[in-house]
Amino acid sequence: MADLEKGGSPAVDTPAPARPQAEDNEKQAIAPASSSSSSADSSLQRLDSHIQVKKSEGQQEDELSHLPENEREIIRRQIDVPVVDLSYWSLFRFSSTNDLIFIAIGCVTAVIGGAILPTMTILFGQLAQTFQDFALGKITSGFMQSEINRFTLYFLYLGIGEFVMVYICTVSFIYTGEHIASKVRESYLKAILRQNIGFFDKLGAGEITTRITADTNVVQEGISEKIGLTLTALATFVAAFVIAFIKSWKLTLILMSTVVAIVMITGGASGFMIKFSKNSLNSYAEGGTVAEEVLSSIRNAQAFNTQDKLARQYDGYLAVAEGWGFKQRALMGAMIGGMMCVVYLNYGLAFWQGSRFLVSGDANLSAILTVLLAVMIGAFSLGNVAPNIQAFTTAVSAAAKIYNTIDRVSPLNPDSEEGDKLEHVEGTIELRGVKHIYPSRPSVEVINNMNLLIPAGKVTALVGASGSGKSTIVGLVERFYTPVAGQVFLDGHDVSTLNLRWLREQISLVSQEPVLFGTTIYGNVCHGLIGTKHENASEEAKRDLVVKACIMSNADGFIRSLPEGYETNVGERGFLMSGGQKQRIAIARAIVSDPKILLLDEATSALDTRSEGVVQAALDAAAQGRTTIVIAHRLSTIKSAHNIVVMTAGRIVEQGRHDELLEKRGAYFQLVEAQRIAASSENTLTETTDDDEELKLKVTRSRASGRGMVPIDPDDEAIHDKLNRTTTTKSKSSVALENRSQDDKTEYPFWTLVKMTAGFNKSEKGYMLVGLGMSVICGGGYPTQAVIFAKAITALSRPPSEFDQVRKDANFWSGMYLMLAFVQLIAYMGQGYCFALCAEKLVHRVRDQAFRTMLRQDIAFFDKEENSTGALTSFLSTEATHLAGMSGVTLGTILAVITTLVSAMVVGLAIGWKLALVCTATIPILLACGFLRFWMLAQFQRRSKAAYEKSASYACEATAAIRTVASLARERDVWNTYHGQLTEQAKVSLISILKSSSLYAASQSLMFLCMALGFWYGGSLIRSGEYDMMKFFLVFTAIIFGAQSAGTVISFTQDAAKSRQAANNLKILFDRKPEIDSWSSEGEAVPEMEGAIEFRDVHFRYPTRPEQPVLRGLDLTVKPGQYVALVGPSGCGKSTTISLIERFYNPLAGGVFVDGKEISTLRLNEYRSHIALVSQEPTLYQGTIKENILLGGDRKNVSDAEVEKACKDANIYDFIMSLPEGFNTLCGSKGALLSGGQKQRIAIARALIRNPKVLLLDEATSALDSESEKVVQAALDAAAKGRTTVAVAHRLSTIQKADVIYVFDGGRVVESGTHFELLALKKKYYELVKMQSLEKTA
């Protein structure tokens, strides 16, 4: 009690986090109000220093430097993340034995498949020799024909071998890639789930989503069929050079220089590419966090019209990422150009040197040809390695981020088996000398040297201002954090020696903002059974326990009235339930396992009086015989506690029972006074206790007499009536609903998608054209090469008598090769630069546009299950990247291929049309294979996308609610469900892998058959004397190269499949016109507003739950400047009324009128600019306090004075000034670094800065303790002056002064009047007041 002088009567709100991760500054009190004026100058200087500095590692240390070493160590252990050095092989860390066997088989077949290709050069050389011998008359035409037939058969065998090898290889790699990637996904989720809570305080919410969706996909690409393709290419390279060395080692050695050059080019470039790709990924992850914050609080963004500002913030991150992406892609282009250049230089060298060896007799034509072709094929195959290298490098950089979480040793690991498990738990909790500091804000001591005994089986209540450390105690008992000093004991055992999972299984936590998971109500309550003896009980026994728990928590009534009862899905984070309903389900979940210790962290703050009364009775019953720690802002709920502990600034000020503390007239007495309701007369407040007694009796009685008499909310009864109605008497709502159309998924024609994509690159038209021009030049390289090639061969096959001429010709054609090499280098570099620019601009614009379009949608869009925050965030990160496949790069490749094919055919037909026609006939076969593979992949893509998105969204939902998952010890359960979803997906994809691979294999092997055909027919033409060697080689090589390059475009189709799908999804999004369109400028302008609001016979149901009526004929009038309060049980339509005034939804029937105009006829943004909303859970974004407040202002130039005035009006100015960085203090992700009270007042300042005509308060103070509430309420009362104010309140003391109070029940207004008029009526309102009134227990 020594602290009494320091904090005996806390009159100032000492604000700070109501939620553990951010219990707040006790140091706040340092800057008393008086100092604020003297520091005004300095604070103004502080206001404009608007630079956010990311703390480097060194500064991180500085933050901790004021702490002793051991405390520093404890904090560091909770937030440090190891840096993992990865090699490519570490990607396979999670492969099973089977995977390794498949990979081995894949590798062997890939190598054999690769080696088959160059063996063809031997056949080629032999055939050329045969042709030459025939030309020189060394063999007869009959013998020549038999030789040709023999070689043609060899070609056929090679083709069959190639098919089998490629098929096995592709299947093995795609299968193992999927399998290992899903292992990585699972391990990542497992790692995330076992991290301590401090780790998450430092992590952006979108970051986990990005890792699970985008980054694991990148890893999968790096370990799938690209390995096969790379190995095949390498094997081809090696085999080719082996053959070449056997044929002519001298020439081959000279040509080996090519390989050195190519390796140097790729090696040099890929190092930089990894770096650029890492940086780009980083910026996107930060942008993802912004997007996730905004999407998860979309109502707020729409109410304040902040979509544009927030989108600009997101855009900032995209711009940084674009820069890095551009560097990476441009470098890639230069690298390929360099390689092509080297290859052509190599040809020139071969002919020049070959002609000298020929003259000196060191090599014959056959050897030169085989070596040349072998080196050519070898070099080309190396070129195929390059595009895949990129996939491997990005896979490694994406994996680094995933693996450093997987390898992080969590200091509080719920998955480990270490620690004792006590045989028997009494439930005595003791804190001895505990000091606590949150790792995310090391400068603040939340609890200092606290000693507290919580006796077993008793109810201990913690009360005090927000930030006094109440929730921290809960966090320490649950072991979410490790205290930096002191110990917490359970039954005399230090909790740090106990098994963490077992400890959490003994404790049930009901928190202030309950989180439900996106499954059925029954499923949610069952989560409470995890880790108990009932976990594996029969379905029957479980259902019995669940129903009992729901009856206890007063939830059974409303659940049974739902059409699907216990099987009703609650939606993502339980958003389909009202606050009270969520809370009751959460309480059922907490008590279903009959825990030894019950922690209630403001469990009833979100409930209205009636639910609260019944839930409180349920909680009182639930608390019997177990250790219960209650944190309550509403003191009426803890009158009966065995011990009430009053806390201020992390210290205990006084403790005792309700009556004892009232007699002391100390801190507690003042808190009670603050909450006293002014009753009109003495007698209104009599019989309070009897009333509570009666309630308790009712509950107990109903429990005794079976399920029939559960106290049911009247709105629930009304639902009964609604549901039992026959279909003939439909309500207005259901009639209106039938006329609404459903959105369908559309498949757009390909051309439309191309036009859309091109639209994003409009301003880069010039670059695009240059890029396409360069592509044509690139494409022309192959046929030009064929002409030079044939000419050179002809030159070399002259008889010895003309050797002088041979040297001359060889020199000339080698020079032509030199020219070709440099033209190609310039073309590839130009193309790479232009397309890199276009592609990155495209991705940037598409992301920006997609994000803005999402923000444009109406709230109904976000209520749908498929549009959960996780799904939309991952949509942003993956779809835009895939779309890049439809941009210039792919177009350029296609154009280059078309140029190659067309010019090859033209050259061929001009020189020798017969052979050209036969060879050309084979091209469609190759292209058809490519198309089929494209089509199969698109199918594959559609299916896997949906499956991974669902599982990713599930994982994101779990990680976003990590505290709830941890307190329920649900980690294994979450992981098992996720594992199940992935296993399901793997089965489905295996079948499609088997199909698509066969077509791909065909496309590889048919090349041999085409060659066989060409040689066989060409041979016949030479035999009959129609063609000479020059003609044959020119036509054959031109068209075969053409076919080969057509083969390379096939490897690009994979991206095309993804991008087509992505383009379609984006087009659907862009074309979706919401019913309530925040972009539209239609409707009447609203230059100013009086603020008269009227509801006329409004009927409404939520679009996602059309069977559940919410408002049924609501009539309501608010005069300008009036303060109107809406009260009533939860789920009766109060918050819905607020949503309708904000026009988040349109009513199904009836209308909402403001100033006599129906609001759907007004211009939406102008209309909303006159309204400000302060909701129950205030949403703040990452950024400084000042930035958050400015989001409220519609105008560009809000002066600092206005910001200060808004803050003073909202009663937060002094607090902000007391922070070391003042207005530039960062709020943390979702405002996590501030307490509930502080967040709420910042939200009020944000609302006031737009100087609204209409102020909507949706339970703005329900989450606050009495002290902050008093301050915030004073701020609200001041704010309401001269404005129309509509307030939804559960706590009636906050709205006694209202001009009119409307009492809702079952979607209608049942009574209205002032506080005293309604009390005199002695009906509904009277009953609500009595339940809440706080009097000293008699």
Side-chain angles (χ1 to χ4, degrees):
M1 296 294 153
D3 299 344
L4 251 173
E5 310 85 278
K6 291 183 198 162
S9 67
V12 208
D13 174 9
T14 320
R19 303 230 305 295
Q21 68 253 44
E23 289 287 348
D24 201 290
N25 301 346
E26 291 70 61
K27 307 214 175 136
Q28 263 128 275
I30 323 170
S34 60
S35 70
S36 63
S37 53
S38 62
S39 65
D41 307 339
S42 63
S43 58
L44 278 171
Q45 284 166 357
R46 254 189 275 170
L47 276 179
D48 49 17
S49 56
H50 178 86
I51 301 170
Q52 276 194 43
V53 186
K54 274 272 161 73
K55 294 201 165 117
S56 62
E57 286 304 302
Q59 279 169 296
Q60 178 75 50
E61 289 304 303
D62 294 349
E63 283 191 339
L64 304 178
S65 56
H66 64 284
L67 300 173
E69 183 51 45
N70 58 333
E71 296 185 5
R72 222 177 313 173
E73 192 41 50
I74 289 176
I75 289 181
R76 210 173 295 144
R77 221 181 21 241
Q78 294 184 68
I79 49 178
D80 275 3
V81 178
V83 176
V84 183
D85 268 340
L86 285 194
S87 67
Y88 178 69
W89 308 117
S90 11
L91 297 181
F92 296 96
R93 195 168 108 182
F94 296 102
S95 45
S96 63
T97 322
N98 282 354
D99 290 337
L100 293 173
I101 292 171
F102 275 118
I103 289 177
I105 295 173
C107 292
V108 171
T109 49
V111 168
I112 297 174
I116 289 175
L117 192 61
T119 30
M120 154 199 115
T121 59
I122 302 175
L123 299 181
F124 204 101
Q126 300 275 317
L127 274 167
Q129 201 61 56
T130 314
F131 290 167
Q132 197 183 16
D133 291 351
F134 176 71
L136 297 176
K138 291 185 185 170
I139 52 174
T140 62
S141 74
F143 180 70
M144 177 177 170
Q145 191 60 58
S146 73
E147 283 290 275
I148 290 178
N149 292 352
R150 185 163 69 100
F151 289 131
T152 307
L153 268 181
Y154 283 164
F155 266 117
L156 199 64
Y157 299 148
L158 286 181
I160 294 168
E162 181 77 350
F163 178 86
V164 175
M165 294 304 148
V166 172
Y167 181 72
I168 295 175
C169 154
T170 316
V171 170
S172 309
F173 279 117
I174 295 186
Y175 168 73
T176 51
E178 283 235 332
H179 192 230
I180 295 170
S182 63
K183 281 275 179 46
V184 171
R185 288 186 174 98
E186 287 174 7
S187 308
Y188 179 68
L189 183 67
K190 199 172 205 162
I192 279 288
L193 291 172
R194 67 159 185 264
Q195 298 309 332
N196 55 308
I197 305 291
F199 172 79
F200 293 95
D201 297 345
K202 284 283 195 189
L203 211 59
E207 202 168 311
I208 297 177
T209 318
T210 312
R211 300 271 170 276
I212 284 183
T213 49
D215 291 1
T216 44
N217 289 345
V218 171
V219 172
Q220 186 175 327
E221 276 187 5
I223 55 178
S224 300
E225 72 277 24
K226 302 237 162 113
I227 305 181
L229 299 175
T230 309
L231 280 174
T232 305
L234 289 173
T236 304
F237 175 76
V238 173
F241 275 96
V242 169
I243 291 168
F245 271 116
I246 294 170
K247 283 288 183 182
S248 164
W249 65 268
K250 275 190 194 168
L251 186 56
T252 311
L253 264 182
I254 292 173
L255 298 187
M256 279 291 276
S257 54
T258 324
V259 185
V260 178
I262 285 182
V263 168
M264 280 170 67
I265 291 172
T266 44
S270 62
F272 283 106
M273 274 157 53
I274 295 181
K275 186 180 128 195
F276 295 155
S277 126
K278 249 191 188 157
N279 293 345
S280 165
L281 276 175
N282 276 341
S283 310
Y284 274 140
E286 286 173 12
T289 299
V290 173
E292 201 269 353
E293 276 188 352
V294 176
L295 293 172
S296 62
S297 62
I298 186 71
R299 282 178 167 76
N300 203 62
Q302 295 212 346
F304 283 98
N305 283 343
T306 47
Q307 297 99 315
D308 188 49
K309 285 185 187 171
L310 295 166
R312 281 203 299 270
Q313 199 180 344
Y314 178 65
D315 199 40
Y317 289 112
L318 297 186
V320 178
E322 180 196 324
W324 291 113
F326 166 70
K327 285 185 182 163
Q328 185 204 348
R329 284 176 197 253
L331 188 62
M332 181 88 192
M335 183 172 90
I336 295 175
M339 287 169 69
M340 297 307 291
C341 172
V342 171
V343 169
Y344 288 135
L345 288 174
N346 176 51
Y347 283 136
L349 179 64
F351 279 116
W352 184 74
Q353 187 60 48
S355 65
R356 301 178 111 176
F357 282 148
L358 191 75
V359 172
S360 66
D362 276 330
N364 63 354
L365 178 67
S366 161
I368 293 177
L369 260 190
T370 302
V371 168
L372 220 187
L373 283 177
V375 170
M376 180 183 78
I377 286 177
F380 259 109
S381 69
L382 253 197
N384 284 339
V385 177
N388 301 330
I389 297 281
Q390 188 182 359
F392 302 144
T393 54
T394 48
V396 174
S397 61
K401 307 191 159 175
I402 295 175
Y403 281 21
N404 66 23
T405 307
I406 293 179
D407 291 343
R408 180 175 189 265
V409 179
S410 167
L412 299 167
N413 180 359
D415 214 33
S416 86
E417 295 302 324
E418 288 170 20
D420 309 331
K421 300 182 180 179
L422 307 180
E423 286 301 308
H424 173 70
V425 178
E426 278 294 314
T428 309
I429 299 173
E430 189 185 355
L431 279 74
R432 281 189 213 154
V434 170
K435 172 182 177 187
H436 184 60
I437 293 176
Y438 281 105
S440 52
R441 11 162 60 190
S443 53
V444 177
E445 262 181 44
V446 189
I447 287 187
N448 196 355
N449 192 15
M450 172 166 292
N451 294 301
L452 174 63
L453 180 67
I454 296 164
K458 297 280 200 291
V459 177
T460 304
L462 308 175
V463 299
S466 52
S468 55
K470 304 184 300 291
S471 298
T472 305
I473 292 180
V474 169
L476 292 175
V477 172
E478 277 271 15
R479 277 197 81 204
F480 285 155
Y481 299 95
T482 312
V484 291
Q487 292 130 311
V488 181
F489 293 93
L490 170 63
D491 291 351
H493 298 263
D494 185 340
V495 290
S496 59
T497 63
L498 301 176
N499 177 279
L500 184 61
R501 187 184 172 81
W502 174 86
L503 173 73
R504 287 184 184 159
E505 283 163 0
Q506 308 309 308
I507 301 174
S508 279
L509 168 68
V510 181
S511 57
Q512 183 177 349
E513 295 167 15
V515 178
L516 301 182
F517 296 94
T519 166
T520 59
I521 295 179
Y522 168 72
N524 266 298
V525 180
C526 273
H527 290 154
L529 292 170
I530 290 169
T532 63
K533 55 179 184 294
H534 306 293
E535 183 172 5
N536 302 316
S538 67
E539 200 54 26
E540 195 50 37
K542 273 190 181 176
R543 197 161 281 278
D544 205 40
L545 286 165
V546 167
V547 174
K548 273 191 189 133
C550 288
I551 292 174
M552 267 184 89
S553 71
N554 182 31
D556 185 66
F558 89 82
I559 296 174
R560 286 183 187 281
S561 69
L562 296 167
E564 298 171 45
Y566 280 88
E567 299 309 312
T568 308
N569 198 316
V570 299
E572 188 195 18
R573 299 191 189 159
F575 73 89
L576 296 177
M577 301 281 145
S578 77
Q581 291 167 337
K582 268 202 283 200
Q583 197 56 282
R584 284 180 280 172
I585 295 172
I587 292 169
R589 175 175 69 188
I591 56 185
V592 68
S593 60
D594 193 29
K596 272 289 178 229
I597 299 168
L598 189 57
L599 307 176
L600 305 173
D601 187 354
E602 301 188 24
T604 58
S605 72
L607 302 183
D608 55 78
T609 318
R610 185 195 290 108
S611 321
E612 187 189 355
V614 190
V615 170
Q616 194 53 49
L619 288 173
D620 292 346
Q624 291 303 316
R626 47 184 128 225
T627 311
T628 309
I629 300 180
V630 185
I631 295 181
H633 277 163
R634 222 173 292 170
L635 304 178
S636 53
T637 56
I638 50 129
K639 287 192 293 203
S640 53
H642 297 103
N643 187 18
I644 296 174
V645 178
V646 186
M647 297 174 61
T648 302
R651 295 191 172 78
I652 296 175
V653 189
E654 54 183 13
Q655 46 184 330
R657 292 181 86 93
H658 178 72
D659 300 357
E660 299 165 11
L661 291 174
L662 280 187
E663 264 146 32
K664 282 193 184 158
R665 293 195 158 246
Y668 182 70
F669 177 75
Q670 281 176 326
L671 290 173
V672 173
E673 274 306 289
Q675 275 187 29
R676 178 77 39 85
I677 287 184
S680 62
S681 56
E682 275 306 300
N683 62 355
T684 343
L685 284 174
T686 51
E687 304 163 338
T688 313
T689 31
D690 311 14
D691 207 73
D692 277 3
E693 288 304 307
E694 215 171 301
L695 243 170
K696 276 189 201 160
L697 278 171
K698 251 197 232 161
V699 178
T700 350
R701 216 178 306 139
S702 66
R703 212 172 292 137
S705 61
R707 288 173 200 163
M709 278 181 53
V710 182
I712 291 181
D713 277 10
D715 50 336
D716 299 347
E717 274 164 2
I719 292 174
H720 275 300
D721 307 340
K722 272 291 181 237
L723 294 169
N724 299 338
R725 241 196 339 216
T726 56
T727 36
T728 47
T729 59
K730 288 182 175 160
S731 68
K732 291 189 183 175
S733 309
S734 29
V735 177
L737 273 165
E738 281 167 8
N739 307 331
R740 295 225 169 160
S741 61
Q742 292 293 314
D743 334 348
D744 297 315
K745 280 263 177 198
T746 25
E747 283 288 330
Y748 289 94
F750 186 67
W751 188 238
T752 317
L753 299 178
V754 172
K755 275 202 297 214
M756 175 194 83
T757 314
F760 280 103
N761 272 141
K762 243 191 212 118
S763 49
E764 282 79 44
K765 244 188 231 147
Y767 286 106
M768 209 66 157
L769 287 172
V770 172
L772 294 176
M774 295 289 188
S775 302
V776 172
I777 298 176
C778 297
Y782 294 103
T784 313
Q785 202 277 122
V787 175
I788 304 177
F789 184 69
K791 287 285 191 190
I793 288 183
T794 324
L796 293 187
S797 55
R798 292 174 184 240
S801 55
E802 299 175 23
F803 271 172
D804 285 354
Q805 193 55 40
V806 169
R807 290 297 310 276
K808 270 196 191 120
D809 285 0
N811 288 350
F812 174 75
W813 292 116
S814 302
M816 293 313 288
Y817 267 123
L818 182 71
M819 181 250 350
L820 182 62
F822 283 103
V823 170
Q824 291 288 299
L825 173 67
I826 293 165
Y828 272 101
M829 285 175 80
Q831 177 204 30
Y833 179 87
C834 294
F835 287 150
L837 191 87
C838 297
E840 283 302 318
K841 288 258 184 259
L842 172 84
V843 172
H844 177 156
R845 286 186 192 132
V846 168
R847 276 204 176 137
D848 186 44
Q849 172 87 2
F851 185 55
R852 283 171 188 271
T853 311
M854 283 176 188
L855 295 184
R856 167 198 192 179
Q857 301 308 326
D858 47 18
I859 301 292
F861 170 83
F862 295 94
D863 288 346
K864 290 189 191 143
E865 210 172 327
E866 68 267 24
N867 298 325
S868 64
T869 308
L872 292 176
T873 319
S874 73
F875 181 90
L876 281 175
S877 59
T878 49
E879 301 297 292
T881 329
H882 288 329
L883 184 66
M886 261 176 91
S887 70
V889 190
T890 315
L891 207 63
T893 314
I894 292 172
L895 202 64
V897 165
I898 291 174
T899 312
T900 304
L901 290 179
V902 171
S903 46
M905 287 191 263
V906 169
V907 170
L909 289 169
I911 306 284
W913 63 271
K914 282 187 181 175
L915 180 57
L917 280 179
V918 171
C919 288
T920 305
T922 63
I923 293 179
I925 299 177
L926 288 168
L927 292 183
C929 282
F931 168 74
L932 279 172
R933 174 164 185 257
F934 167 67
W935 189 77
M936 290 305 301
L937 278 163
Q939 291 292 84
F940 177 46
Q941 185 63 24
R942 269 180 217 126
R943 274 210 305 275
S944 74
K945 178 177 168 290
Y948 282 134
E949 194 169 76
K950 190 162 174 275
S951 55
S953 165
Y954 174 79
C956 296
E957 183 190 42
T959 48
I962 188 72
R963 281 159 185 280
T964 311
V965 173
S967 68
L968 290 169
R970 245 199 91 193
E971 292 90 357
R972 289 177 195 178
D973 174 55
V974 167
W975 186 82
N976 289 333
T977 312
Y978 186 64
H979 173 72
Q981 289 177 342
L982 291 182
T983 321
E984 208 37 48
Q985 165 60 18
K987 285 188 194 131
V988 175
S989 43
L990 183 61
I991 299 160
S992 82
I993 292 169
L994 294 171
K995 286 187 201 154
S996 56
S997 303
S998 60
L999 291 168
Y1000 175 63
S1003 70
Q1004 296 290 317
S1005 55
L1006 287 178
M1007 192 180 77
F1008 288 96
L1009 307 188
C1010 300
M1011 286 196 163
L1013 180 66
F1015 264 115
W1016 176 79
Y1017 184 63
S1020 313
L1021 287 175
I1022 290 184
R1023 202 187 70 177
S1024 65
E1026 273 185 64
Y1027 277 30
D1028 58 5
M1029 278 175 74
M1030 152 81 195
K1031 259 189 185 178
F1032 169 76
F1033 275 114
L1034 201 156
V1035 175
F1036 183 78
T1037 50
I1039 294 181
I1040 289 302
F1041 278 148
Q1044 246 193 347
S1045 79
T1048 57
V1049 79
I1050 291 177
S1051 66
F1052 274 90
T1053 55
Q1054 186 172 8
D1055 300 335
K1058 283 181 183 168
S1059 37
R1060 155 124 211 207
Q1061 193 51 40
N1064 200 51
N1065 292 344
L1066 285 160
K1067 180 84 174 134
I1068 291 174
L1069 175 66
F1070 294 153
D1071 285 357
R1072 189 179 186 283
K1073 262 200 77 109
E1075 189 189 345
I1076 302 172
D1077 186 355
S1078 54
W1079 287 4
S1080 99
S1081 51
E1082 289 166 22
E1084 198 181 320
V1086 194
E1088 48 204 42
M1089 188 188 282
E1090 284 291 303
I1093 303 172
E1094 191 184 350
F1095 277 65
R1096 295 186 197 157
D1097 189 29
V1098 172
H1099 290 255
F1100 179 72
R1101 301 175 178 206
Y1102 283 101
T1104 39
R1105 285 176 301 167
E1107 71 287 343
Q1108 184 106 37
V1110 184
L1111 298 180
R1112 324 193 173 104
L1114 176 68
D1115 291 301
L1116 183 86
T1117 317
V1118 183
K1119 298 198 178 82
Q1122 260 189 340
Y1123 187 108
V1124 170
L1126 314 179
V1127 299
S1130 64
C1132 68
K1134 303 184 299 289
S1135 297
T1136 307
T1137 310
I1138 299 276
S1139 295
L1140 289 175
I1141 297 178
E1142 270 284 3
R1143 208 175 157 220
F1144 288 152
Y1145 304 96
N1146 285 334
L1148 292 176
V1152 182
F1153 293 82
V1154 169
D1155 294 351
K1157 296 173 189 152
E1158 221 269 310
I1159 59 173
S1160 56
T1161 62
L1162 303 175
R1163 198 170 297 167
L1164 187 62
N1165 282 346
E1166 285 193 28
Y1167 167 68
R1168 280 187 186 156
S1169 68
H1170 296 293
I1171 300 179
L1173 169 69
V1174 181
S1175 53
Q1176 183 177 352
E1177 294 167 16
T1179 315
L1180 301 184
Y1181 301 107
Q1182 264 183 345
T1184 63
I1185 293 181
K1186 183 174 180 189
E1187 285 170 328
N1188 268 298
I1189 293 174
L1190 286 176
L1191 281 176
D1194 266 352
R1195 317 179 297 292
K1196 283 271 160 49
N1197 47 1
V1198 181
S1199 68
D1200 284 348
E1202 288 176 80
V1203 176
E1204 285 182 36
K1205 181 173 182 332
C1207 291
K1208 282 177 179 150
D1209 291 347
N1211 228 328
I1212 183 87
Y1213 182 74
D1214 291 338
F1215 160 68
I1216 296 177
M1217 289 314 198
S1218 73
L1219 295 171
E1221 295 174 24
F1223 276 102
N1224 294 327
T1225 307
L1226 291 178
C1227 300
S1229 172
K1230 295 189 178 154
L1233 301 181
L1234 300 167
S1235 78
Q1238 294 155 1
K1239 280 201 285 199
Q1240 196 54 284
R1241 283 177 306 164
I1242 289 175
I1244 293 170
R1246 177 173 64 193
L1248 293 181
I1249 199 152
R1250 60 199 287 143
N1251 193 11
K1253 267 286 169 263
V1254 177
L1255 185 61
L1256 304 177
L1257 308 174
D1258 190 356
E1259 299 187 25
T1261 59
S1262 71
L1264 308 181
D1265 56 77
S1266 6
E1267 218 170 85
S1268 326
E1269 185 188 351
K1270 201 160 55 172
V1271 181
V1272 171
Q1273 192 55 47
L1276 289 173
D1277 291 344
K1281 294 224 168 37
R1283 300 192 165 93
T1284 307
T1285 307
V1286 180
V1288 171
H1290 277 330
R1291 227 171 294 170
L1292 304 180
S1293 54
T1294 58
I1295 49 115
Q1296 308 159 46
K1297 301 195 182 72
D1299 300 323
V1300 184
I1301 295 172
Y1302 284 101
V1303 185
F1304 274 63
D1305 205 7
R1308 296 191 184 85
V1309 172
V1310 288
E1311 46 185 78
S1312 62
T1314 63
H1315 175 68
F1316 295 110
E1317 289 167 12
L1318 291 173
L1319 282 183
L1321 278 176
K1322 298 217 169 186
K1323 284 194 187 154
K1324 197 101 189 159
Y1325 183 73
Y1326 174 74
E1327 191 189 326
L1328 293 170
V1329 170
K1330 269 193 3 190
M1331 283 165 129
Q1332 263 191 33
S1333 105
L1334 256 181
E1335 225 358 63
K1336 185 174 169 185
T1337 40

